[in-house]
């Protein structure tokens, strides 16, 4: 068995938090659109060993991360048995699986939303087979990232048809899930662009709006990714908040990203300290119980030893931010300020539920806007205290 992380370290990864990585994340060989790989791609066994050593809980995969698209049945069986052994030896589980519907040329214009009906059928068939594969390894969450579901020009595809085609595919696959008794929960992952010029379902909210229109809304939720809303200059924490409040946060992709740049997929917490802090605080405050998946990769300059540091660092940063969040919640000065800014008034009971009596009382209430505007909002003080906790001086 691989050497495990130091258990006396208070920032050692906590298995209860279900930290996971994808085969494609730790296995990323450092290729980018402008350059060839900078490190040798590790095999599944090596990936399991790296993650076991770092103290991860699990590992996820796309069908073709595990089994190359053109593998023979014998090769597939061989890889599966190596992977199974790697998982066992490192105490790793597979909580999530997904389909690669973006790498092969057949998907150059999309999968479920392709204009070509045979390609749409192939995409659904490929997903069914990938669901079988995920189930073989015990996955209970199935992610749908619409990698090529989009367009460069709206002359090429009808965006209303795209929504209808996507829904048809998901409704079909939900029935397959039920019939096969896989027990998957489906988690949709939004992204505004890359690799397409414009991607359908650009933000998490797009999927939250689609879900109630599906045949099995209870089976479907979201998998928001830190980098994706951030790329578009949006506040990721707010998107996660809405999913969480709706009971639809089934999975989360943690990484980092600077606004307005290419799809960086940086190590979690490597650049946006404050957003990462508020994200961790929210996940912990609201007792998010799903996997915390790091969908990121090491810098292109890293060697395999540094990839190990990347994996360990991702989890360690989460543990540190979790501790900072607890410190924030326990800070008497911060708590005092929170009381001041969240002014309470018994009159707010009136708007909890509508009745004509309450409406009458509210209309007659003596609410003086000039007086109300005088209430203190010491937000500078509160934000500075937050910064000091993050800077490690409080
Ligand atoms: C991206 C995406 C992908 C998906 C993954 C799961 O990097 O743009 O986030 O990494 O999460 O393909 O389907
Ligand atoms: Mn991404
Ligand atoms: Mn992702």
């Amino acid at each position: 068995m691989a050497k495990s992380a130091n258990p006396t370290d208070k920032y050692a990864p906590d298995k209860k938090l279900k930290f996971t990585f994808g085969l494609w994340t730790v296995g990323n060989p450092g290729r980018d659109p402008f350059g060839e790989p900078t490190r040798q791609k590790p095999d599944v066994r090596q990936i399991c060993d790296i993650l076991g050593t770092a103290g991860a809980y699990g590992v996820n995969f796309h069908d073709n991360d595990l089994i190359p698209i053109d593998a023979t049945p014998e090769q597939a069986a061989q890889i599966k048995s190596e992977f199974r052994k790697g998982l066992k030896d490192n105490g790793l589980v597979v909580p999530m699986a997904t389909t690669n519907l973006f790498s092969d040329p057949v998907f150059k214009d999309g999968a479920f939303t392709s204009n070509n009906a045979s390609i749409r059928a192939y995409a659904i068939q490929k997903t069914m087979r990938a669901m079988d594969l995920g189930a073989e390894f015990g996955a209970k969450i199935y992610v749908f990232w619409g990698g090529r579901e989009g367009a460069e020009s709206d002359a090429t595809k009808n965006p209303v048809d795209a929504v209808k085609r996507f829904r048809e595919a998901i409704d079909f696959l939900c029935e397959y899930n039920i019939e096969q008794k896989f027990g998957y929960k489906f988690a949709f992952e939004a992204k505004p662009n890359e690799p397409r010029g414009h991607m359908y379902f650009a933000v998490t909210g797009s999927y939250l709006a689609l879900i109630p229109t599906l045949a099995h809304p209870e089976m479907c939720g979201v998998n928001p990714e830190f980098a994706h809303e951030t790329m578009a200059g949006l506040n990721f924490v707010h998107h996660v908040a809405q999913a969480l409040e709706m009971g639809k946060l089934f999975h989360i992709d943690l990484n980092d990203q600077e606004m307005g740049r290419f799809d960086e997929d940086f190590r979690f917490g490597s650049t946006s300290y404050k957003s990462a802090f508020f994200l961790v605080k929210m996940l912990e405050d609201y007792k998010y119980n799903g996997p915390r998946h790091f969908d990121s990769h090491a810098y292109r300059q890293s060697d395999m030893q540094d990839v190990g540091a990347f994996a360990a660092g991702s989890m360690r940063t989460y543990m540190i931010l979790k501790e900072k969040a607890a410190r924030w919640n326990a800070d008497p000065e911060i708590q005092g300020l929170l009381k001041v800014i969240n002014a309470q008034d018994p009159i707010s009971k009136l708007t909890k539920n509508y009745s004509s009596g309450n409406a009458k009382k509210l209309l007659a209430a003596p609410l003086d806007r000039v007086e109300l505007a005088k209430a203190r909002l010491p937000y500078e003080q509160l934000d500075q205290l937050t910064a000091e906790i993050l800077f490690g001086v409080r």
Side-chain angles (χ1 to χ4, degrees):
M1 176 179 298
K3 187 168 100 3
S4 60
N6 176 4
T8 60
D9 176 3
K10 65 175 172 165
Y11 302 124
D14 180 349
K15 293 268 181 189
K16 289 199 285 300
L17 297 182
K18 302 180 189 156
F19 292 127
T20 62
F21 292 80
L23 284 180
W24 71 96
T25 64
V26 175
N28 180 296
R31 182 188 292 110
D32 74 11
F34 300 91
E36 299 305 326
T38 55
R39 48 184 177 257
Q40 178 121 42
K41 199 173 168 189
D43 63 27
V44 291
R45 172 75 220 199
Q46 288 167 311
I47 295 175
C48 289
D49 290 346
I50 292 169
L51 292 177
T53 305
Y57 167 80
V59 55
N60 306 317
F61 59 80
H62 300 85
D63 49 354
N64 304 134
D65 298 334
L66 188 62
I67 316 284
I69 197 162
D70 46 12
T72 63
E74 295 70 35
Q75 286 166 332
Q78 170 72 16
I79 298 171
K80 282 196 226 173
S81 95
E82 275 163 29
F83 185 48
R84 214 166 265 123
K85 184 154 191 326
L87 292 171
K88 187 158 178 279
D89 290 350
N90 288 285
L92 295 165
V93 295
V94 176
M96 178 272 261
T98 182
T99 329
N100 185 327
L101 295 173
F102 43 89
S103 295
D104 195 88
V106 70
F107 299 126
K108 59 180 181 272
D109 193 29
F112 300 154
T113 71
S114 167
N115 279 330
N116 183 319
S118 307
I119 294 177
R120 294 201 296 277
Y122 171 65
I124 296 172
Q125 180 198 65
K126 188 173 193 286
T127 304
M128 292 162 76
R129 291 178 176 159
M131 286 168 71
D132 298 349
L133 180 66
E136 255 188 72
F137 287 93
K140 287 288 169 203
I141 298 168
Y142 206 85
V143 163
F144 291 85
W145 172 57
R148 300 275 172 191
E149 313 293 14
E152 283 64 47
S153 163
D154 287 332
T156 66
K157 214 188 280 181
N158 179 333
V160 174
D161 283 347
V163 176
K164 291 187 192 305
R165 289 168 182 170
F166 191 87
R167 182 188 296 112
E168 186 179 301
I170 297 300
D171 285 348
F172 188 90
L173 292 166
C174 280
E175 296 299 343
Y176 185 64
N177 184 31
I178 294 168
E179 196 178 82
Q180 297 296 314
K181 300 194 171 51
F182 287 145
Y184 280 124
K185 292 234 165 212
F186 288 6
F188 305 122
E189 178 175 348
K191 190 174 182 181
N193 55 270
E194 265 196 83
R196 299 309 297 266
H198 307 273
M199 277 159 73
Y200 303 132
F201 306 106
V203 292
T204 300
S206 314
Y207 282 122
L208 291 175
L210 175 79
I211 290 170
T213 74
L214 298 173
H216 290 283
E218 72 293 342
M219 210 178 278
C220 300
V222 291
N223 174 39
E225 173 172 316
F226 192 105
H228 295 176
E229 268 81 9
T230 308
M231 284 173 79
L234 300 172
N235 185 318
F236 179 66
V237 178
H238 294 188
H239 279 79
V240 177
Q242 198 180 353
L244 198 62
E245 201 275 337
M246 293 172 71
K248 289 297 185 191
L249 186 65
F250 289 2
H251 197 262
I252 190 161
D253 278 1
L254 302 174
N255 57 7
D256 213 337
Q257 172 77 35
E258 285 149 322
M259 270 181 204
R261 304 279 169 93
F262 65 95
D263 183 11
E264 296 171 317
D265 285 337
F266 283 155
R267 188 182 77 258
F268 179 61
S270 58
T271 163
S272 324
Y273 305 138
K274 202 170 172 182
S275 310
F277 166 73
F278 282 113
L279 178 66
V280 170
K281 180 168 145 37
M282 187 169 70
L283 295 177
E284 296 304 317
D285 286 351
Y286 289 90
K287 304 192 174 9
Y288 167 72
N289 192 31
R292 289 158 174 80
H293 176 239
F294 296 102
D295 190 8
S296 46
H297 51 77
Y299 300 134
R300 193 158 178 265
Q301 297 76 20
S302 299
D303 59 12
M304 280 323 283
Q305 193 183 335
D306 207 30
V307 169
F310 146 86
S314 304
M315 297 184 282
R316 187 172 169 82
T317 294
Y318 190 101
M319 296 303 295
I320 294 168
L321 291 174
K322 181 174 182 279
E323 187 199 52
K324 301 258 179 220
R327 191 178 285 264
W328 197 95
N329 287 337
D331 190 304
E333 207 174 332
I334 289 178
Q335 288 308 314
L337 288 169
L338 290 179
K339 282 219 177 73
V340 171
I341 65 181
N342 286 289
Q344 295 305 314
D345 187 325
I347 196 167
S348 68
K349 283 210 184 80
L350 289 179
T351 53
K352 289 267 178 276
N353 290 300
Y354 188 84
S355 70
S356 38
N358 280 354
K360 227 179 253 156
K361 279 187 204 148
L362 183 59
L363 283 169
L367 293 165
D368 179 339
R369 84 169 201 285
V370 179
E371 274 309 304
L372 288 174
K374 289 182 189 157
R376 285 204 68 226
L377 293 173
Y379 286 176
E380 289 289 357
Q381 230 182 311
L382 181 57
D383 188 69
Q384 178 66 22
L385 292 174
T386 304
E388 292 191 11
I389 285 181
L390 274 175
F391 295 153
V393 297
R394 188 174 176 87

